[in-house]
Amino acid sequence: MTRHTHTTDETGFDYMANKGVEEQDRDTLGILFAVAVMAFITVSQYLGLL
């Protein structure tokens, strides 16, 4: 593993090291948000609000 001095702090934590978890969390949140919006629109149409 290469150490990037401009993104690594004194304790050795690299702020720019990417493990892929961030993308998975962001994608999961986006999917859940889209499902919530679709459910809201569907219920609103069913109740005649839209």
Side-chain angles (χ1 to χ4, degrees):
M1 183 171 122
T2 7
R3 183 178 175 116
H4 301 105
T5 55
H6 58 284
T7 60
T8 307
D9 66 4
E10 308 82 38
T11 63
F13 179 75
D14 189 352
Y15 293 98
M16 297 302 288
N18 195 346
K19 306 287 187 240
V21 177
E22 295 87 356
E23 287 86 358
Q24 183 179 1
D25 290 347
R26 184 177 58 239
D27 293 344
T28 302
L29 185 61
I31 290 169
L32 291 175
F33 180 73
V35 169
V37 168
M38 289 188 299
F40 175 76
I41 290 173
T42 302
V43 169
S44 296
Q45 287 178 336
Y46 178 76
L47 296 175
L49 300 174
L50 290 177

